[in-house]
Amino acid sequence: MKRGFFSKFVALFCVLFTFVALCVIPVAAANTSDTYFYAFKATAVGYNSFDSGRQKTDDSPIYLYITEATYNSVRVRALGGTSDSGPWTNYTFQNGVGSVNYVTCTVGIKYKIHNTIYEKSCTYADLGFHSTYSSPNYITGYWSPDCTSNSSYTDATQ
């Protein structure tokens, strides 16, 4: 009788263990933590990007909030790549328009920059900046590769 009980206990334990193991599946959370950048130089020639991108985990927009800048606005590209160092491709997207070369972002506004980075099978995101003036624009602010569904953020447009 003891042997039957022990066998049933082991079998029940194995079934429960398997059930728990199958139910605990890791899910990638959106990468919405902000990265601070300070006095980043947006040149008047070409687009400068950060030294390394960040992992993009879903098809949400990129979040950008510029808190200070030499000039009031800057052109921005949503860049996608397969590693944190690129190479980078422009995947900036504007709702109602489609793929665009850049969007313009202004100091003091929290933006969501639409893009097709995740849909193009890129796992990393970065931003490219270009001064809209003939001299460099030094910008400070926050960004994240994935954005929460906060409807108060402004859609970035050209």
Side-chain angles (χ1 to χ4, degrees), residues 43-135:
T43 61
V45 178
Y47 282 79
N48 290 3
S49 61
F50 298 124
D51 289 335
S52 65
R54 294 184 51 201
Q55 191 168 26
K56 182 139 181 71
T57 59
D58 63 27
D59 62 355
S60 67
I62 291 174
Y63 169 77
L64 176 64
Y65 178 45
I66 300 171
T67 57
E68 296 178 54
T70 309
Y71 302 107
N72 195 41
S73 64
V74 65
R75 290 180 180 165
V76 183
R77 286 180 174 171
L79 306 174
T82 55
S83 77
D84 67 348
S85 59
W88 302 111
T89 302
N90 182 12
Y91 290 116
T92 311
F93 189 87
Q94 183 177 325
N95 286 343
V97 175
S99 295
V100 294
N101 193 34
Y102 63 86
V103 291
T104 302
C105 296
T106 303
V107 174
I109 298 174
K110 295 179 179 180
Y111 287 99
K112 50 187 173 183
I113 302 172
H114 295 276
N115 61 82
T116 56
I117 294 170
Y118 190 78
E119 295 84 343
K120 298 291 185 181
S121 300
C122 294
T123 51
Y124 288 87
D126 202 348
L127 291 173
F129 297 96
H130 175 80
S131 177
T132 55
Y133 299 89
S134 59
S135 57

Side-chain angles (χ1 to χ4, degrees), residues 135-147:
S135 57
N137 190 354
Y138 292 90
I139 56 175
T140 298
Y142 301 88
W143 82 286
S144 66
D146 297 318
C147 186

